[in-house]
Amino acid sequence: MGSGRVRVRFAPSPTGIFHVGGARSALFNWLVALRAGGDFVLRIEDTDASRNRPEWIDGIISALDWLGISPGRYEGPVLQSSRADRHRAAAVRLQEAGLAYFCDCTRGALAERTGNAQHGYDGFCRDRGLAPGPGRALRFRTPDEGVTTVRDLIRGTPEFPNDTIEDFVIARADGSAVFLLANVVDDLEMGITHVIRGEEHLSNTPKQQLLWAALGADEPPVWAHVPVIVNEKRQKLSKRRDKVALESYRDEGYLPSAMKNYLMLLGWAPSGDDEIVPWETIESTFDLADVKPSPAFFDEKKLRAFNGEYIRALSVEEFIAAVQPWLAPPAAPWAAEAFDAGVFAVVAGLAQSRLSVLSEIVPMVDFLFLPEAPVDDAAWAKAMKGPAAELLADVHDVFGKVEWDAETLKATLTELGKRHGLKLAKAQAPVRVAVTGRTVGLPLFESLEVLGREATRRRLAVARERLAAG
């Protein structure tokens, strides 16, 4: 992995949501730095002023913090825009050394010369000796012969014939550097030893490697292009089509530990048969050389299953702390003063074993803190059939007399169901919907015990009246 102190960088653009692919790249970089005792640099590539927004920078820092890459544990954030003068100076240096030249060709002129609007740049201005001026970009003079070999820890040694690499633009007519040059200048001056990024950047790598050499580097960084992440149709994940925002998963109630574990499996796997492993194990065994180059499938169903496992692994106290953001308005539909922490603590363990994401706690327990049972027309239509009205009337009456504990309530409903020709599973359905508003949820009899006799009987009476009213 090279010599000297390892220095990696994560360089997102603050132009939108924090993509799960970016999160995976950040984690790969982070682990390489941790395992080598090296440095992680956060560089914000904010040179596209028309698309950048300060809140996106805050979002990047917040998302990394959620993943365990916390401020104070890395260098930065360094704003690429603050280094514009260095980028300009590098462009001038390349031009003065004869390694770059000015070009005033438009796309229309190129199409007219070549007869093909899609044709790459043809080198027309290479020897025209143009001076800087309006409409004149600066192009890098690529070698005419030989090949550029990229040594990649994941992809081997792909070769790029130099005569297929067009003279690419490195600076605009106003002197500002384009992404390719700015990236190389920053990596070179920041002492970056390993560039670990998405596969989509591989096509840029020979150009950047040529720039590294042109700017005086003895050798390029260690390259590692991690596999593209695809959806179930094997299409590259797209923010226009797929659920890719890390923030949305966080807000839905995915645990950072589950998300980190899952993201690490997108191209890599721990030894053995278990995929759900402690972060300490991942940290001690991850190696870029073990990352596979083939596309990695982002399976949201599998991620949900992972998250459920991580939720169940929490202690009850940890679980109660984790769901707090969903137990008060605006996430919760009940009034803040209606929430009873003691009541929730009684059912927390029952709920914990049934969740895949933390936000599911709301429909699981809302009946305990709302004044009336939630209304779900589909659940009502499904449950309130046959002898439901008569059963509810009997349950309402008998529940006013029996001992109020889950075991007694279950035995009582079992007997009442038999009177109406119903097994317990069928007899539970109308009672559950009448009291909790839903066909599924916490264990029914434990729920009734916690809700209490008065509230339970009141809801049974409301449901019976609704049935009577048709």
Side-chain angles (χ1 to χ4, degrees):
M1 295 180 67
S3 59
R5 185 175 179 84
V6 169
R7 286 176 59 81
V8 303
R9 51 76 162 174
F10 177 58
S13 298
T15 56
I17 54 90
F18 194 83
H19 197 289
V20 291
R24 191 267 309 264
S25 293
L27 289 171
F28 279 20
N29 275 280
W30 182 247
L31 284 174
V32 167
L34 282 180
R35 294 207 66 201
D39 306 312
F40 178 100
V41 179
L42 174 59
R43 188 172 73 225
I44 306 295
E45 300 194 335
D46 63 338
T47 52
D48 187 349
S50 65
R51 298 176 61 206
N52 296 333
R53 285 160 49 184
E55 58 266 34
W56 294 129
I57 297 178
D58 294 339
I60 291 169
I61 295 171
S62 174
L64 289 176
D65 188 35
W66 186 70
L67 290 172
I69 304 175
S70 306
R73 300 184 66 193
Y74 55 77
E75 291 184 22
V78 178
L79 300 183
Q80 192 172 60
S81 59
S82 70
R83 300 176 51 81
D85 289 346
R86 294 175 178 269
H87 307 150
R88 288 175 180 267
V92 170
R93 206 159 65 243
L94 291 172
Q95 191 271 326
E96 290 178 345
L99 297 173
Y101 60 90
F102 290 100
C103 171
D104 62 1
C105 294
T106 63
R107 184 168 294 279
L110 176 63
E112 187 175 342
R113 283 199 306 271
T114 63
N116 182 354
Q118 306 302 318
H119 197 285
Y121 182 66
D122 60 358
F124 180 76
C125 292
R126 261 193 168 204
D127 301 313
R128 292 177 65 197
L130 296 178
R136 294 180 178 179
L138 188 65
R139 289 184 180 273
F140 183 76
R141 189 188 298 270
T142 60
D144 294 321
E145 300 176 346
V147 299
T148 295
T149 301
V150 173
R151 303 190 185 284
D152 191 294
L153 288 178
I154 299 172
R155 303 186 179 277
T157 55
E159 294 185 342
F160 300 83
N162 290 331
D163 61 6
T164 65
I165 305 173
E166 68 178 23
D167 290 354
F168 51 93
V169 173
I170 58 173
R172 304 174 184 87
D174 64 3
S176 62
V178 301
F179 165 79
L180 283 174
L181 179 60
N183 224 27
V184 170
V185 170
D186 289 345
D187 284 346
L188 184 55
E189 294 189 1
M190 292 179 179
I192 301 303
T193 62
H194 293 64
V195 174
I196 306 160
R197 58 188 183 181
E199 177 186 350
E200 64 271 19
H201 294 289
L202 180 61
S203 61
N204 289 331
T205 306
K207 298 176 183 179
Q208 291 180 307
Q209 192 160 298
L210 289 171
L211 285 173
W212 272 76
L215 290 171
D218 293 332
E219 60 181 32
V222 176
W223 304 105
H225 289 87
V226 300
V228 65
I229 302 177
V230 297
N231 62 19
E232 68 279 359
K233 296 181 180 179
R234 296 306 186 265
Q235 301 167 321
K236 180 182 175 182
L237 283 188
S238 166
K239 63 182 180 182
R240 295 180 180 85
R241 180 185 58 237
D242 304 304
K243 182 179 174 183
V244 299
L246 187 74
E247 299 93 331
S248 68
Y249 288 101
R250 178 185 63 192
D251 295 345
E252 191 176 341
Y254 283 81
L255 295 173
S257 52
M259 178 61 75
K260 289 197 300 181
N261 189 163
Y262 183 71
L263 289 176
M264 289 303 301
L265 301 181
L266 299 179
W268 176 84
S271 60
D273 297 328
D274 293 332
E275 293 185 309
I276 298 179
V277 294
W279 180 251
E280 293 75 16
T281 299
I282 294 174
E283 188 174 313
S284 65
T285 59
F286 176 73
D287 192 329
L288 281 174
D290 297 328
V291 175
K292 306 301 181 185
S294 54
F297 171 37
F298 190 92
D299 185 346
E300 188 177 348
K301 292 181 180 178
K302 185 174 181 178
L303 172 59
R304 284 179 64 87
F306 263 53
N307 202 60
E309 292 290 334
Y310 271 89
I311 288 174
R312 288 185 283 279
L314 298 173
S315 68
V316 175
E317 292 75 18
E318 289 171 332
F319 172 72
I320 291 174
V323 295
Q324 288 304 307
W326 290 272
L327 297 179
W334 52 80
E337 60 273 14
F339 180 73
D340 186 321
V343 169
F344 180 74
V346 173
V347 301
L350 298 174
Q352 179 180 358
S353 63
R354 290 164 169 79
L355 301 185
S356 293
V357 293
L358 296 176
S359 59
E360 292 174 345
I361 193 63
V362 175
M364 194 78 68
V365 302
D366 56 359
F367 73 96
L368 290 170
F369 308 116
L370 291 170
E372 303 296 339
V375 176
D376 183 329
D377 291 336
W380 180 271
K382 182 177 181 180
M384 300 304 181
K385 299 176 180 178
E390 295 82 2
L391 174 66
L392 291 179
D394 286 349
V395 172
H396 173 271
D397 292 341
V398 176
F399 273 14
K401 307 168 187 175
V402 299
E403 292 294 321
W404 200 256
D405 60 82
E407 186 175 343
T408 301
L409 295 173
K410 180 178 180 180
T412 301
L413 185 56
T414 300
E415 288 303 315
L416 292 175
K418 289 179 180 177
R419 294 184 194 177
H420 295 275
L422 300 174
K423 292 184 178 180
L424 180 59
K426 294 291 185 180
Q428 283 189 82
V431 175
R432 179 184 289 279
V433 172
V435 177
T436 73
R438 309 184 193 283
T439 54
V440 295
L442 299 177
L444 175 60
F445 303 106
E446 287 80 356
S447 298
L448 299 181
E449 181 178 343
V450 174
L451 183 62
R453 188 192 307 270
E454 181 181 344
T456 297
R457 295 186 72 232
R458 184 176 67 251
R459 294 182 183 188
L460 289 169
V462 170
R464 185 179 60 186
E465 291 170 4
R466 180 180 171 184
L467 281 170

